[in-house]
Amino acid sequence: MNPKVLIVVSNANSIGPNNKRTGTFLPEVAHPYAEFENAGYQIDFASLTGESPFLDGLNLADDPENLKFLTGKGWEDMHSAKKLSEVNTSGYDAVFVPGGLAPMVDMAEAPELKKVLADFYESNRVVAAVCHGPVSLLNVKLSDGSYLVNGKNIAAFTTAEEENYAKADVAFDLQTALTEQGAIFHAAEPWSANSIADGNIVTGQNPASAKGVGEKIVALLEAKKA
């Protein structure tokens, strides 16, 4: 059977004191989705509340993979994402959390999500996230009480990138928070492609890294099939 990937998305649509409009950033879900689709995987969506999620970055719809996601099955399926707590996650081979600012609103503290991510990791399945999506990895504790990110090589949206993007909107700095929980943080030049795999954990720095994250997830899943 082909691998199954669960994409977990935020339900937030605004952030910060000025209620900046946000959502899942289109290329960060569309580019990995294209990699999964091209590999023939089953792709399902879940959100934290089960309400229809929001997309940001619609001005980038001229990108072929973004457009295909919007006009094809991708957005239709994301729009009808199931509530995470109602999904039987045991049959999935990988879980992926795309970014956008939205996850910074509802994924730092989300008990069901933390439980799912710990379970995937401890059952030798792939856990992946990109840009602000790695906020989902914060506060995930394993059965031995340690933080999931402790001692792991992690990439995510950097302090330098946030400085010129949404520092006034986010409640905390993601790079700092991941580092405080023991992550070995890898920061490349701002806005450059940077995706890394550490065992079954795949993370990426920013929108330019989303395709690489998708490729690395596929590589891990194909290796597990061999």
Side-chain angles (χ1 to χ4, degrees), residues 13 39 48 119 189:
N13 68 344
L48 300 189
D119 180 58
E189 284 296 311

Side-chain angles (χ1 to χ4, degrees), residues 148-186:
L148 171 65
V149 298
N150 185 40
K152 308 299 194 308
N153 294 291
I154 299 291
F157 205 63
T158 66
T159 302
E161 288 167 325
E162 202 73 88
E163 188 74 33
N164 296 305
Y165 183 62
K167 185 178 180 182
D169 302 297
V170 295
F172 60 92
D173 180 70
L174 182 55
Q175 177 177 343
T176 300
L178 287 165
T179 302
E180 286 175 348
Q181 291 192 359
I184 303 166
F185 197 92
H186 294 260

